[in-house]
DNA sequence: ACATGTGAAGGTATTCACAGCG
DNA sequence: CGCTGTGAATACCTTCACATGT
């Protein structure tokens, strides 16, 4: 395969493929064609083949793709090999929900540190971690944690993000309904739940 | 303005604009230019103007856009005028978080009915609603509720979705890490939190 | 003078159509 | 023959450049 720039959209779809493949693996499937995968995921079969082709020749012509191999390949592309520790900031309802959310594992992520600014919460044990004060964020660098999840109210989101960036975090998943400013080298993904709901009525 | 098909991407951005405009309104701003709005939202100014132009001439040349008017226009386009009742299925951590999530209001949505299949939860009061058994989903049609939010474990998601569709729901926001099958007339938006996190390491 | 609104240009992503290989 | 892999064609979206209206 010749080199070509990988479309952002392709990267966005890789985790989708990964989920579908994991599902097939759980079903005991060894091999899958782009057509079968397309049906499960509601994506075009050509799309799938083209996406994979950016990274190399993963399939066998006339046969399809080996499920296990493909999962490993995609995990490698997404740099999900091994487990990465992530910090969670904010232990309200949403934060608590995230702590018990299954599925981070598939993506090689584990919440290992938890912060909150509520004195009544600090020190409490939750999931596998102890809740620490917001000021301890500065110690993330020392602990080698590079990913963080923001689940605090909108007003505090930017200030938390600044602290995280200062502590050397380079990837942030933001659930606060607020636009975050961060240096270019820091990748921020915002999930605004209400905003997704907002476009639902349009399509109805 | 001549008629042209409205890009999906434009529709996806409308709620983003709405949030930015709401923010400006709260600040007491009466008028805004595409350039100012662009800075707040990290979107191109040309993009904003082009997007608005699909729906009509909302601005005043040499001046900008009237914040209040623009909000009303976008809300109308997204069919968010008035408040729509939505049903929530699943009152685990995530469901509870959603019940106390601020911001649904901006998008004209209100959770008015709550379902769960846990007998110890049924009958309890939560938010403004009483938790009802899953079997009561069939009564949604009678109550005129057309939107639903799924916050149940992956294994139950499809069966819940089927019940919702049978009850006449035509829009579903799905938080379960599972692909849902539904008739074309039913719009399903899936938010898979872990999947979003999954592409974070790639960019780092 | 200033900011919108918009054809035209440019860029990106998807789909087609089929060659290539097992 | 079946299914992958891919250049070419198409569709889609964004950006440019500027004409247009206040």
């Amino acid at each position: 395969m010749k080199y070509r720039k990988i479309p952002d959209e392709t990267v966005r779809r890789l985790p989708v493929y990964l989920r579908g493949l994991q599902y097939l693996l759980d079903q005991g499937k060894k091999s899958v064609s782009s057509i079968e995968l397309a049906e499960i995921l509601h994506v075009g079969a050509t799309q799938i083949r083209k996406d994979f082709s950016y990274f190399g020749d993963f399939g066998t012509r006339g046969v399809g793709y080996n499920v296990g191999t493909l999962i490993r390949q995609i995990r490698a592309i997404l740099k999900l090999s091994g487990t990465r520790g992530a910090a969670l900031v904010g232990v309200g309802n949403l934060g608590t929900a995230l702590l018990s959310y299954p599925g981070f594992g598939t993506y090689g992520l584990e919440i290992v540190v938890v912060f909150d600014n509520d004195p009544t919460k600090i020190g409490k044990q939750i999931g596998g971690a102890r809740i620490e004060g917001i000021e301890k964020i500065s110690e993330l660098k020392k602990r080698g944690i590079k990913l963080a999840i923001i689940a605090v109210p909108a007003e505090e989101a930017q200030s938390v993000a600044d602290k995280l960036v200062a502590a050397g975090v380079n990837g942030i998943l933001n659930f606060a309904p607020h636009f975050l400013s961060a240096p270019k080298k820091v990748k921020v993904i915002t999930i605004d739940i209400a905003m997704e709901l907002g476009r639902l009525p349009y399509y109805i």
Side-chain angles (χ1 to χ4, degrees), chain A:
Chain A
M1 218 249 348
K2 269 173 278 171
Y3 174 78
R4 229 173 308 157
K5 192 189 161 296
I6 289 138
D8 268 2
E9 291 297 298
T10 294
V11 176
R12 206 182 43 71
R13 278 188 297 266
L14 289 179
V16 178
Y17 298 151
L18 197 52
R19 164 141 298 149
L21 290 164
Q22 197 71 50
Y23 171 78
L24 288 166
L25 192 72
D26 294 347
Q27 304 264 314
K29 270 223 149 211
K30 285 288 189 185
S31 176
V32 67
S33 73
S34 59
I35 296 146
E36 291 174 86
L37 196 54
E39 271 163 21
I40 296 169
L41 301 177
H42 308 124
V43 183
T46 318
Q47 184 84 80
I48 291 175
R49 294 203 299 279
K50 170 100 13 186
D51 282 344
F52 291 168
S53 80
Y54 289 117
F55 302 101
D57 299 4
F58 294 165
T60 310
R61 291 169 199 240
V63 179
Y65 301 89
N66 177 286
V67 176
T69 310
L70 196 47
I71 287 175
R72 272 194 302 283
Q73 308 259 31
I74 295 177
R75 287 180 62 88
I77 294 162
L78 290 172
K79 300 180 190 140
L80 296 177
S81 347
T83 301
R84 289 166 175 241
L88 170 69
V89 189
V91 197
N93 283 309
L94 184 58
T96 309
L98 291 172
L99 276 167
S100 62
Y101 195 78
F104 282 131
T106 307
Y107 299 97
L109 293 150
E110 192 189 358
I111 295 171
V112 292
V113 201
V114 181
F115 302 102
D116 203 295
N117 65 356
D118 180 345
T120 68
K121 285 178 184 167
I122 294 169
K124 271 193 182 165
Q125 204 70 23
I126 189 163
R130 217 182 102 266
I131 300 174
E132 301 175 46
I134 295 276
E135 74 281 357
K136 296 282 173 58
I137 287 177
S138 56
E139 294 175 15
L140 284 178
K141 185 172 256 161
K142 208 165 56 192
R143 302 196 218 173
I145 292 168
K146 296 284 195 181
L147 293 174
I149 302 163
I150 296 181
V152 301
E155 310 81 65
E156 298 166 36
Q158 184 63 58
S159 119
V160 166
D162 293 343
K163 286 188 181 70
L164 289 168
V165 170
V169 163
N170 55 15
I172 294 176
L173 188 65
N174 172 44
F175 284 94
H178 192 273
F179 296 93
L180 297 183
S181 297
K184 265 208 310 287
K185 57 174 181 172
V186 178
K187 179 70 182 178
V188 178
I189 293 179
T190 295
I191 298 181
D192 188 326
I193 292 166
M195 222 147 73
E196 300 286 333
L197 243 186
R199 74 198 154 97
L200 204 43
Y202 176 83
Y203 288 107
I204 295 170

